[in-house]
Amino acid sequence: MSATSNSAQCKVGSIKTSNHILHQFELKENNICVVFNPCYDISFYKLENIHAFDCKKWGKIARRLNDYFVQLGLKIEFLTPPHPITDEELRVVHSQSFIMKMNYCKMTVVRAAEVPLLLCIPMFLIRSKLLTPLKWQTAGTVLAGYVALKHGYAINLGGGFHHCSAESAGGFCMFADITLCIRYLWEQVNNKLKVMIVDLDAHQGNGHERDALSMPERERNRVYILDIFNGSIYPGDEWAKNGIDRMIILKSFTKDDKYLQLLQFHIEEALKEFTPDLILYNAGTDILEGDPLGALSITPEARFA
Ligand SMILES: [Zn+2]
């Protein structure tokens, strides 16, 4: 999940307490700005190994990115949220009933995580070992959006839970961090902010699309969604497609040339239709060839193109 901004068009409000999620920080101009906390990683007595996701990928990415940029003579500045997202902060998007179910109802978590084995784990362990890392990542998405407004861009190594809407979790997405980031910045920074979501994960981002559909018109006009996804895989959410402003449906095993041609054309067209102050880019790596879930054939070289 990353964010870029046209900061010249936005006024950033003052944040009062140092423990506020949008806390003040000093950034060196040439440093690469990455939001991360080691608590992002999920460690569940090795049970995490049975899920198709690599649940410790965030720490691995942080280490590899650091090595990569050091080789280039650049330095990463790691920023961390001050705390995992709190229930009070989640209420910017989620209802109290949603939050209570997520915190205390095992079936809600099991359905969203799609790991039936979790039924054998006590709920207090699910909260500390699974939900807390995801709450850290959710706070990271909000912080990255704010940093992007101040600094021009920021990369959150976690988050991008695009299957979760305000009403419903699913597809290993427990919290609607993308909608939360937008609403948090509207509430705390600038309620006129225009935000474009560029969702390049292999799956349809039905969570933020459903949230866009439920926005009143004055808010909906300030959000633009571009989603390019494999139409043959999860979630196939027909209703949520109504929330997409520019939809590009790919066939399974689409290759580099076709993908890059479509992407370039539609990004250019989207920017003719909508002038964002902030772009939230959901960068799923599951478009890469060989990914067990994405079923696309994009090479790492194309990802950098
Ligand atoms: Zn995906």
Side-chain angles (χ1 to χ4, degrees):
M1 180 82 217
S2 64
T4 57
S5 87
N6 180 357
S7 55
Q9 294 183 14
C10 307
K11 285 207 170 80
V12 175
S14 62
I15 306 301
K16 288 178 184 138
T17 63
S18 61
N19 199 34
H20 194 289
I21 198 165
L22 309 184
H23 56 300
Q24 296 287 2
F25 40 80
E26 292 299 321
L27 293 169
K28 296 203 178 75
E29 205 162 292
N30 294 325
N31 285 358
I32 310 294
C33 192
V34 174
V35 177
F36 171 70
N37 187 295
C39 296
Y40 281 17
D41 280 353
I42 296 168
S43 177
F44 221 131
Y45 309 112
K46 305 233 185 297
L47 272 179
E48 70 275 10
N49 296 337
I50 63 170
H51 202 279
F53 293 138
D54 178 352
C55 292
K56 292 185 178 164
K57 65 182 176 183
W58 302 282
K60 288 179 192 166
I61 293 167
R63 288 187 288 277
R64 288 189 63 174
L65 266 185
N66 196 46
D67 294 346
Y68 175 75
F69 283 114
V70 164
Q71 278 176 9
L72 297 178
L74 295 167
K75 191 163 182 282
I76 290 187
E77 188 147 350
F78 285 106
L79 296 171
T80 180
H83 50 70
I85 202 88
T86 63
D87 289 355
E88 189 187 346
E89 287 160 344
L90 284 172
R91 276 198 288 273
V92 171
V93 161
H94 294 296
S95 66
Q96 180 63 11
S97 142
F98 177 101
I99 295 166
M100 292 300 277
K101 275 194 210 148
M102 192 56 75
N103 283 337
Y104 299 105
C105 171
K106 201 186 283 184
M107 274 313 295
T108 301
V109 180
V110 169
R111 275 197 215 103
E114 298 171 359
V115 182
L117 209 62
L118 284 175
L119 283 170
C120 310
I121 311 286
M123 194 60 208
F124 77 92
L125 280 178
I126 292 176
R127 272 196 299 278
S128 64
K129 298 287 186 183
L130 176 64
L131 295 180
T132 300
L134 300 178
K135 288 180 179 180
W136 274 104
Q137 295 185 31
T138 299
T141 299
V142 177
L143 177 60
Y146 177 62
V147 174
L149 286 178
K150 293 199 81 176
H151 189 62
Y153 76 93
I155 302 164
N156 180 26
L157 292 188
F161 303 131
H162 66 160
H163 299 307
C164 185
S165 68
E167 306 288 332
S168 172
F172 207 75
C173 297
M174 315 298 181
F175 306 106
D177 66 328
I178 296 173
T179 308
L180 180 63
C181 177
I182 295 170
R183 288 210 167 279
Y184 212 93
L185 295 176
W186 278 347
E187 280 195 9
Q188 300 280 337
V189 179
N190 180 346
N191 65 7
K192 299 279 191 300
L193 207 62
K194 291 174 72 183
V195 183
M196 178 182 282
I197 299 170
V198 175
D199 194 335
L200 301 194
D201 186 281
H203 299 88
Q204 179 196 352
N206 59 324
H208 57 73
E209 288 153 14
R210 282 178 169 260
D211 287 339
L213 280 171
S214 65
M215 286 175 182
E217 197 179 346
R218 69 188 151 73
E219 291 180 350
R220 183 66 187 90
N221 290 339
R222 283 185 266 125
V223 175
Y224 184 102
I225 298 175
L226 182 155
D227 196 353
I228 175 165
F229 57 93
N230 183 347
S232 310
I233 58 173
Y234 178 90
D237 189 333
E238 291 300 322
W239 168 247
K241 284 178 184 171
N242 295 310
I244 304 174
D245 298 284
R246 189 163 280 270
M247 175 166 61
I248 306 102
I249 299 180
L250 303 172
K251 294 194 172 114
S252 288
F253 309 112
T254 297
K255 293 190 187 308
D256 291 359
D257 286 354
K258 179 80 179 164
Y259 182 82
L260 290 175
Q261 184 194 349
L262 283 168
L263 185 59
Q264 180 163 6
F265 174 79
H266 286 286
I267 292 265
E268 285 172 6
E269 290 300 304
L271 289 170
K272 285 180 197 164
E273 290 175 0
F274 187 83
T275 312
D277 301 308
L278 179 72
I279 297 174
L280 297 178
Y281 164 41
N282 194 32
T285 52
D286 53 6
I287 62 167
L288 292 173
E289 196 164 29
D291 184 277
L293 301 173
L296 294 172
S297 297
I298 310 303
T299 64
E301 290 71 30
R303 204 73 172 84
F304 283 106

